[in-house]
């Protein structure tokens, strides 16, 4: 029995990770703006349509893993009584970063200049912070916190999550975890003041 030959250039395994790895290699070599979806697909050994089976855009390669975690957090924060306890809020936020392995986003934060990603990361971080802040603020308001205080708390907690991820990634391997950074950051929110 003979085994049919595979097509030339067809990968043995076509996966999300293979495409993400190819994208990160190209971001490091050519910069974010100098990398095309076609180039990523070619490096990964997949078609453009295969790329779009896993990612909706070049930016999605970086953000999709974190977006899935934020989606779960937003859903948890929308549950009745989600904002009743600071410990419950901390647990929802911890779940965003808990067990987060180095991924394309962590690599991007750690190599922002080499990849030419400063504008992309600033813009896209702001979108995720805004989404998470709105969910946190709504949970706080549902728990009886007045609007301005709820908005300020929501923004502070959302920034703590994204900042923890960024600080961890910039520190490089062996410098704790993003969850440890978050646990370090959350108590500082109560210490914030001008002066």
């Amino acid at each position: 029995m003979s085994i049919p030959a595979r097509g030339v250039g067809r990968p043995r395994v076509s996966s999300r990770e293979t495409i993400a790895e190819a994208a990160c290699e190209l971001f490091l070599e050519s910069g974010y703006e100098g990398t095309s979806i076609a180039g990523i697909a070619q490096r990964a050994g997949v078609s453009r349509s295969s790329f779009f089976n896993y990612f909706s855009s070049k930016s999605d390669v970086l953000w999709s893993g974190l977006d899935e975690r934020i989606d779960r957090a937003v859903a948890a924060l929308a549950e009745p009584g989600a904002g009743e306890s600071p410990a419950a809020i901390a647990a929802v936020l911890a779940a965003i970063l808990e067990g987060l392995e180095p991924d394309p986003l962590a690599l991007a934060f750690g190599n922002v200049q080499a990849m030419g990603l400063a504008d992309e990361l600033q813009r896209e971080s702001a979108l995720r912070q805004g989404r998470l802040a709105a969910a946190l603020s709504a949970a706080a308001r549902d728990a009886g916190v007045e609007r301005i205080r709820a908005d300020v708390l929501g923004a502070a907690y959302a920034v703590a999550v994204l900042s923890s991820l960024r600080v961890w990634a910039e520190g490089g391997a062996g410098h704790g975890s993003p969850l440890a950074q978050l646990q370090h950051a959350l108590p500082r929110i109560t210490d914030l003041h001008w002066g």
Side-chain angles (χ1 to χ4, degrees), residues 76-79 81-84 89 133-145 150:
L77 291 165
E79 292 290 322
E84 296 292 331
I89 294 294
L136 287 158
S137 176
R141 287 192 318 274
D142 288 347
V145 177

Side-chain angles (χ1 to χ4, degrees), residues 27 32 37 40 51 55-65 67 104-105 117 120-121 123-124 127-128:
F27 295 161
Y32 182 77
I37 290 172
I40 295 168
F51 174 94
F55 301 104
S56 62
S57 65
K58 186 168 62 168
S59 179
D60 193 34
V61 172
L62 299 175
W63 293 97
S64 63
D67 284 344
L105 183 58
L117 278 166
E120 165 74 13
L121 291 179
R123 179 181 55 252
E124 296 297 321
L127 292 173
R128 273 82 187 168

Side-chain angles (χ1 to χ4, degrees), residues 22-195:
C24 288
E25 289 172 0
L26 287 169
F27 295 161
L28 281 168
E29 292 170 14
S30 305
Y32 182 77
E33 292 301 324
T35 299
S36 68
I37 290 172
I40 295 168
Q42 181 179 11
R43 173 70 62 97
V46 301
S47 67
R48 264 180 67 91
S49 61
S50 291
F51 174 94
F52 288 111
N53 286 336
Y54 294 101
F55 301 104
S56 62
S57 65
K58 186 168 62 168
S59 179
D60 193 34
V61 172
L62 299 175
W63 293 97
S64 63
L66 184 64
D67 284 344
E68 290 168 4
R69 290 167 175 259
I70 290 175
D71 289 346
R72 289 192 296 268
V74 168
L77 291 165
E79 292 290 322
E84 296 292 331
S85 157
I89 294 294
V92 168
L93 298 179
I96 297 172
L97 299 179
E98 188 172 18
L100 187 66
E101 298 295 326
D103 71 348
L105 183 58
L107 184 66
F109 275 127
N111 294 281
V112 65
Q113 296 306 320
M115 291 182 166
L117 278 166
D119 291 341
E120 165 74 13
L121 291 179
Q122 183 177 15
R123 179 181 55 252
E124 296 297 321
S125 289
L127 292 173
R128 273 82 187 168
Q129 284 174 195
R131 182 165 182 246
L132 189 54
L136 287 158
S137 176
R141 287 192 318 274
D142 288 347
V145 177
E146 61 94 11
R147 179 65 191 241
I148 291 177
R149 182 171 175 77
D151 286 350
V152 169
L153 286 169
Y157 281 111
V159 168
V161 170
L162 272 291
S163 181
S164 295
L165 176 58
R166 181 182 45 79
V167 167
W168 167 72
E170 288 173 351
H175 288 90
S177 70
L179 180 56
Q181 292 293 336
L182 180 65
Q183 290 166 338
H184 177 74
L186 290 181
R188 274 136 187 84
I189 292 171
T190 59
D191 295 339
L192 295 176
H193 56 83
W194 295 108

